[in-house]
Amino acid sequence: MANPSILILAGDGIGPEVMAEVKKIIGWYDAKRGITFDVSEDLVGGCAYDKHGTPLHDDTMAKAQEVDAVLLGAVGGPKYDTLDFSVKPERGLLRLRKEMDLYSNLRPAQCFDALADFSSLKREVVGGLDIVIVRELTSGIYFGEPRGIFTEGNERVGINTQRYTESEIARVARSAFELARRRSNKVCSMEKANVMESGILWRQVVQEIHDKEYPDVELSHMYADAGAMQLCRWPKQFDVIVTDNLFGDLLSDAAAMLTGSLGMLPSASLGAPMANGRPKALYEPVHGSAPDIAGQGKANPIACVLSFAMALRYSFDLGDEAERLEKAVEKVLADGYRTADLMGPEGGTPISTAAMGDAIVAALDASL
Ligand code: IPM
Ligand code: MG
């Protein structure tokens, strides 16, 4: 049988640096566990624009559709700020999500014990935190029509449209309920049903899917603004949060800080199963391209490494190996190794991006 295939799109800014550490880990699995992936690489974002005049070449899009999993680093940077909207680096990422139909974006926020004092919230609030935000990723205001900047009378008007069909809500709701069953069996759905019709429909459909198909899962509903407040007040009340594209974007950045650093958060974007039974999938850190620290060895590769762990679990059915990798990360943090974003008053051993990757590989070795 052919080896499972991975397409690496490292992208811009710190993307290539953090991805270099994931490549070390892919190499480790090949050498030490006999788990071999067919890895190919290509461009996305600003670097693709520089070469092809588009943030995602059609050939790259076609490759992404064929592989078992895509690993993405980050896109964007100040150099591209003035580009036309249609060719901005972010459009490359959004096209991948849309054309691969990756409607379910899993964003776990887990607070490693070693970092509990590093969060801007108190240890008792975040210690042991383990929640997942399931963000709808292919619809809503990110993609709704009409959109654009138009002229009305003698002024300009900017328009975006929040639009959700019943089936779009139903499929992401199912994905959240399925996930909850494998965890603490609790889902909280967030919208703004008090001001938005799309929010009213969201709440109704989530409730219907629950009552018909997942009555065993505990379901609650919250307005997204109240949800943001509760996420800061007592995040451990949640298990799985399911929400739309825009609210999910905001809430997941907020959740990231609960864990200590945005440099820690992985994500999996999953679509429908392919012919081989695996879901269409793209894995990426929640953080961006961080151009201010790019090229200096300061970036934290852990979010990208943990994204690869999610790939092991969700695309390759290697849950045990995912756990091995997560434990290796936990050990390195417990041993006090810290990239620049994790250096606080309590100290630790400051190390570079590459040294963090090496430390994780050493911890993997120790796990054998
Ligand atoms: C994210 C990012 C993206 C988004 C950007 C880079 C387009 O913020 O994945 O959270 O808004 O979805
Ligand atoms: Mg975001």
Side-chain angles (χ1 to χ4, degrees):
M1 225 175 69
N3 294 325
S5 56
I6 292 178
L7 172 64
I8 290 185
L9 302 173
D12 307 319
I14 61 170
E17 288 165 67
V18 294
M19 198 58 84
E21 304 318 306
V22 173
K23 286 192 228 165
K24 285 180 191 167
I25 289 162
I26 293 174
W28 184 87
Y29 274 102
D30 181 33
K32 301 288 173 75
R33 301 291 298 152
I35 299 169
T36 308
F37 298 99
D38 283 339
V39 179
S40 54
E41 293 194 51
D42 212 327
L43 304 174
V44 68
C47 57
Y49 176 82
D50 288 339
K51 179 145 183 227
H52 302 298
T54 164
L56 188 73
H57 195 279
D58 289 345
D59 292 349
T60 317
M61 186 65 243
K63 266 191 236 167
Q65 296 283 18
E66 274 161 27
V67 291
D68 293 315
V70 177
L71 300 184
L72 191 136
V75 295
K79 184 177 157 198
Y80 308 105
D81 280 351
T82 52
L83 284 184
D84 185 72
F85 185 73
S86 63
V87 288
K88 275 199 186 299
E90 291 78 5
R91 304 307 304 170
L93 175 56
L94 293 170
R95 180 177 173 201
L96 281 164
R97 290 174 178 174
K98 187 70 179 172
E99 291 192 20
M100 292 171 76
D101 202 17
L102 306 170
Y103 60 88
S104 176
N105 180 218
L106 276 40
R107 299 191 158 189
Q110 216 179 335
C111 185
F112 287 90
D113 201 49
L115 297 182
D117 290 319
F118 191 71
S119 169
S120 46
L121 275 76
K122 295 192 198 82
R123 172 178 273 272
E124 59 264 34
V125 176
V126 296
L129 179 73
D130 178 8
I131 63 175
V132 182
I133 295 181
V134 179
R135 169 188 177 193
E136 199 293 323
L137 202 60
T138 51
S139 185
I141 203 160
Y142 270 57
F143 297 98
E145 298 284 347
R147 65 183 299 165
I149 300 175
F150 305 96
T151 306
E152 258 178 31
N154 55 6
E155 67 170 353
R156 288 167 300 163
V157 45
I159 297 182
N160 289 93
T161 303
Q162 166 85 334
R163 179 181 191 277
Y164 270 109
T165 64
E166 210 176 330
S167 52
E168 285 169 340
I169 301 168
R171 64 182 186 171
V172 73
R174 283 192 187 97
S175 145
F177 288 128
E178 291 288 340
L179 182 66
R181 274 186 177 162
R182 283 180 271 132
R183 297 171 44 91
S184 304
N185 219 32
K186 240 167 60 170
V187 171
C188 181
S189 169
M190 296 188 187
E191 27 54 21
K192 286 282 287 175
N194 50 346
V195 283
M196 296 162 77
E197 283 78 2
S198 58
I200 296 176
L201 184 69
W202 182 282
R203 187 176 284 222
Q204 283 170 359
V205 174
V206 172
Q207 188 68 50
E208 286 161 15
I209 296 292
H210 169 269
D211 297 351
K212 270 192 232 132
E213 301 171 33
Y214 301 91
D216 53 300
V217 180
E218 190 188 316
L219 170 67
S220 59
H221 303 274
M222 230 180 241
Y223 298 139
D225 53 346
M229 184 268 282
Q230 289 297 340
L231 207 48
C232 302
R233 192 185 71 85
W234 191 243
K236 284 187 258 184
Q237 70 187 280
F238 299 113
D239 177 27
V240 174
I241 293 173
V242 63
T243 190
D244 75 14
N245 204 340
L246 183 61
F247 293 143
D249 184 41
L250 304 179
L251 293 169
S252 62
D253 262 35
M257 267 330 279
L258 304 174
T259 70
S261 168
L262 193 51
M264 296 294 299
L265 251 79
S267 83
S269 305
L270 306 176
M274 300 184 280
N276 61 12
R278 294 179 171 131
K280 274 253 163 83
L282 179 148
Y283 300 87
E284 58 173 322
V286 171
H287 66 67
S289 60
D292 52 321
I293 59 162
Q296 301 168 41
K298 285 187 185 165
N300 183 352
I302 290 179
C304 203
V305 168
L306 292 177
S307 299
F308 177 62
M310 292 186 87
L312 293 173
R313 178 173 291 119
Y314 293 110
S315 283
F316 303 118
D317 234 359
L318 293 167
D320 291 350
E321 297 300 338
E323 230 163 82
R324 179 197 300 280
L325 182 50
E326 287 158 357
K327 289 250 160 63
V329 168
E330 199 172 341
K331 176 172 189 308
V332 165
L333 293 172
D335 289 345
Y337 293 114
R338 301 281 185 270
T339 42
D341 57 311
L342 301 176
M343 285 306 294
E346 68 279 8
T349 311
I351 57 172
S352 68
T353 310
M356 180 58 94
D358 294 340
I360 295 170
V361 167
L364 283 171
D365 271 332
S367 79
L368 293 177

